[in-house]
Amino acid sequence: THRLNSLRASLRRQTMAAASLKLSVALACVLLLSSAACHGLEVGYYKKTCPRVEAIVRDEVKKFVYKNAGIGAGLIRMFFHDCFVQGCDGSVLLDPTPANPQPEKLSPPNFPSLRGFEVIDAAKDAVEKACPGVVSCADIVAFAGRDAAYFLSKMKVKINMPAGRLDGRVSNSTEALDNLPPPFFNLDPLVASFAAKGLSAEDMVVLSGAHTIGVSHCSSFVSDRTAVASDIDAGFANFLRRRCPANPSTANDPTVNQDVVTPNALDNQYYKNVLAHKVLFTSDAALLTTPATTQMVRDSANIPGQWEAKFNKAMVKMGAIEVKTGKQGEIRRKCRVVN
């Protein structure tokens, strides 16, 4: 009887310890919403099921980015645009079908400007050859965004990107319009759109730094930046007017570099451009609206390595938005169509 009682006591202690551990993990998840582990994601998720997946994706990204840095900018933007609509679930990759003629990729924020779909296709094909039916397209998008940042930053931005996302089955162009902050947003709606996804004002300022790379169509900024009075630097405004028509149209909508100083480098030059009023979008200029966000911009511009370190964390946090698990998702065989 004594042995039985001590066994019961031991089991009770173990059960209580396990419950306590679960509670502490749950509490940690509440306190640290940025923790990807709370969303069922983990670094090295495929180490047993597809050990070479991250190397395979990185090789494909490298091929494309070294030919055209703009494709790398597109991959970082694709990750952002995927995560903000239906969560990080590869929904931005789905092609139109007779049943769904207007998916996310045909929405104005994505079409015709979003680039990099061919990189995801190439990476998925290579991964499927190595480990068929194991790796989700959503994770490939996250890895590709991570790798593009690595190559474009001359290997300074090294993101430990967790994985374990499943692919979604819903893709709707209206949801992209509703969820993606447009370039004409001022600070308050910008902060609100990030807050709706569990991201802070600082995350928003840090992730805006991706505008240090890539190009923008003139139609995204002419009407509210160069055609009317704004805080844009006069010389920079004249430079843009020489490159952009006064009324951009579908037939006449050239592109300009977002960062004219270091156009092909993922670096902190963007924040120096914000301080100099040499940025394209209202949403860029809006970062100087409050003393708090202005200080974040100054620190990112002036403290070596600070922005890169914060960008690492913010990309991981963004990659955990509304992740699908279990029956909510699937692992697509081809990234452009649901199974």
Side-chain angles (χ1 to χ4, degrees):
T1 310
H2 176 70
R3 284 181 66 193
L4 194 58
N5 285 341
S6 63
L7 186 61
R8 279 180 185 146
S10 168
L11 278 170
R12 198 179 298 120
R13 280 196 300 274
Q14 285 173 15
T15 307
M16 285 173 74
S20 168
L21 181 64
K22 272 187 184 168
L23 183 63
S24 62
V25 168
L27 277 172
C29 286
V30 170
L31 295 169
L32 293 170
L33 283 173
S34 61
S35 170
C38 304
H39 303 267
L41 302 180
E42 59 180 289
V43 174
Y45 179 82
Y46 295 106
K47 63 179 176 282
K48 290 194 175 125
T49 53
C50 190
R52 289 199 58 252
V53 59
E54 297 190 41
I56 292 168
V57 174
R58 182 160 286 195
D59 285 347
E60 292 299 328
V61 170
K62 186 178 185 179
K63 278 183 219 168
F64 283 91
V65 171
Y66 281 175
K67 276 188 214 150
N68 179 356
I71 295 291
L75 290 169
I76 296 169
R77 185 165 175 247
M78 182 188 287
F79 182 42
F80 167 47
H81 282 214
D82 186 33
C83 290
F84 263 58
V85 187
Q86 286 276 334
C88 311
D89 69 342
S91 53
V92 75
L93 305 173
L94 290 171
D95 278 347
T97 62
N100 185 31
Q102 285 293 314
E104 287 170 40
K105 65 163 54 167
L106 294 186
S107 190
N110 293 327
F111 185 80
S113 60
L114 199 59
R115 298 188 282 173
F117 293 107
E118 70 277 29
V119 185
I120 305 300
D121 290 338
K124 177 67 168 171
D125 287 348
V127 169
E128 284 297 302
K129 284 191 183 86
C131 334
V134 172
V135 180
S136 69
C137 299
D139 279 340
I140 290 174
V141 169
F143 291 148
R146 181 265 311 269
D147 296 337
Y150 175 74
F151 292 120
L152 293 172
S153 67
K154 296 190 173 68
M155 295 141 198
K156 284 182 189 159
V157 173
K158 297 175 181 171
I159 301 167
N160 278 327
M161 183 60 74
R165 302 163 189 82
L166 289 180
D167 297 322
R169 301 182 184 94
V170 174
S171 184
N172 184 311
S173 66
T174 312
E175 288 190 10
L177 274 172
D178 291 344
N179 286 278
L180 290 166
F184 55 78
F185 261 6
N186 286 312
L187 188 67
D188 286 347
L190 203 53
V191 169
S193 70
F194 276 71
K197 303 297 172 187
L199 298 173
S200 67
E202 185 176 30
D203 294 325
M204 181 273 294
V205 173
V206 167
L207 290 166
S208 295
H211 289 171
T212 187
I213 190 99
V215 297
S216 167
H217 285 271
C218 292
S219 58
S220 294
F221 60 84
V222 163
S223 63
D224 58 327
R225 295 288 283 159
T226 57
V228 294
S230 75
D231 74 338
I232 198 166
D233 174 84
F236 186 56
N238 288 332
F239 166 83
L240 294 173
R241 288 187 192 105
R242 288 196 295 274
R243 280 158 179 73
C244 290
N247 293 295
S249 63
T250 313
N252 185 16
D253 193 8
T255 58
V256 296
N257 286 320
Q258 298 226 63
D259 171 2
V260 293
V261 184
T262 57
N264 292 329
L266 189 78
D267 56 19
N268 69 339
Q269 180 61 44
Y270 165 79
Y271 297 98
K272 297 171 187 176
N273 297 344
V274 172
L275 292 169
H277 301 278
K278 294 180 179 179
V279 281
L280 298 183
F281 302 148
T282 295
S283 61
D284 295 325
L287 302 188
L288 298 181
T289 305
T290 67
T293 53
T294 301
Q295 191 57 50
M296 292 172 198
V297 171
R298 281 204 188 102
D299 289 347
S300 291
N302 297 322
I303 302 171
Q306 178 172 299
W307 172 71
E308 289 85 350
K310 291 195 170 185
F311 187 70
N312 281 358
K313 289 179 182 166
M315 285 280 278
V316 171
K317 192 171 172 182
M318 184 174 74
I321 295 172
E322 295 162 35
V323 166
K324 292 182 171 59
T325 53
K327 290 182 179 169
Q328 298 171 316
E330 62 185 15
I331 291 172
R332 278 183 223 145
R333 285 185 285 278
K334 294 211 169 285
C335 289
R336 290 171 181 265
V337 289
V338 296
N339 291 345

